[in-house]
Each structure stands twice: as structure tokens, then as C-alpha cells.
Amino acid sequence: MKIYVGNLPFSATETQVRDLFAAHGTVESVALPSDRETGRPRGFGFVEMPQAEAAKAIEALNGFSLGGRQLRVNEAQDRPRGAGGGRPGGGGRPGGGGGFRSGGGGGGGGGGGRW
């Protein structure tokens, strides 16, 4: 079973998370995603364990304090295909992309001089 572990301290390592969950059963894998641009941890992760052991770990560790933060531990929900953290087209609006004051009409004499 895949387990979601949220509210991890940014200082948490895969080894720390593995050791924490290993006290409750066999840990098959640990993944702590990091931000693609900054390389910094994102504050959550995933642990895979056999079903029965995962249920025990979730029960024992949800609300557990690690590094001064209360963990949120529950069964991971599968994302729908195509869903993801990224935005279509690479995200954001680098270099502008329209918006509130992006030129256009109102230039010249009229408009009361607002922009």
C-alpha cells in the first residue's frame, strides 16, 4: 500500500522516514519529492509497505510529532491520469503573459490618465 506522509519537516531525510516507518513493518520504498526548480524538499513524501503493516503504521504515526511538526499520515490517493503539480505550458507567466496592466486600449487622450 502506498502511504502519503504530509507536513514533514523540510530537514527530514529518506533514512529518517524509512526508520520511522520500519518500526511498524517492512518498508518497501520511500520517496520525498523535491521542487524541480529549487531542489528543496516539498514537505511531503510517500512510503510503500505491505497492506496490513501499512494500516498499523498509519494508525500509529498519524499525528506523530517529527521535528516539531505533526505528521499527516494516510493512504495515498491515486492521481487521475494527466493530473500533476505542473501547469500546462510550463506554468507561471514568465515574461508577462497578459494580465491587469498589459497594454492595449486606453492610451492617448481619453481614459482620465489612470494608466
Side-chain angles (χ1 to χ4, degrees):
M1 171 193 292
K2 194 170 199 175
I3 303 168
Y4 168 81
V5 186
N7 205 33
L8 281 168
F10 295 113
S11 61
T13 66
E14 286 188 18
T15 301
Q16 287 175 314
V17 174
R18 180 179 297 276
D19 291 348
L20 183 65
F21 279 81
H24 303 281
T26 304
V27 176
E28 296 168 349
S29 69
V30 175
L32 302 180
S34 56
D35 184 274
R36 276 187 221 146
E37 293 178 19
T38 65
R40 293 182 44 178
R42 296 180 64 192
F44 69 91
F46 298 96
V47 175
E48 288 191 75
M49 300 178 76
Q51 183 81 28
E53 295 172 359
K56 290 177 191 171
I58 290 169
E59 175 97 17
L61 296 174
N62 189 37
F64 182 84
S65 182
L66 180 66
R69 300 181 71 156
Q70 271 197 318
L71 300 182
R72 287 191 303 266
V73 182
N74 52 51
E75 184 175 352
Q77 304 297 312
D78 285 332
R79 289 193 310 202
R81 255 317 190 210
R87 295 181 187 99
R93 277 190 268 163
F100 184 51
R101 297 185 191 174
S102 60
R114 292 186 64 174
W115 308 115

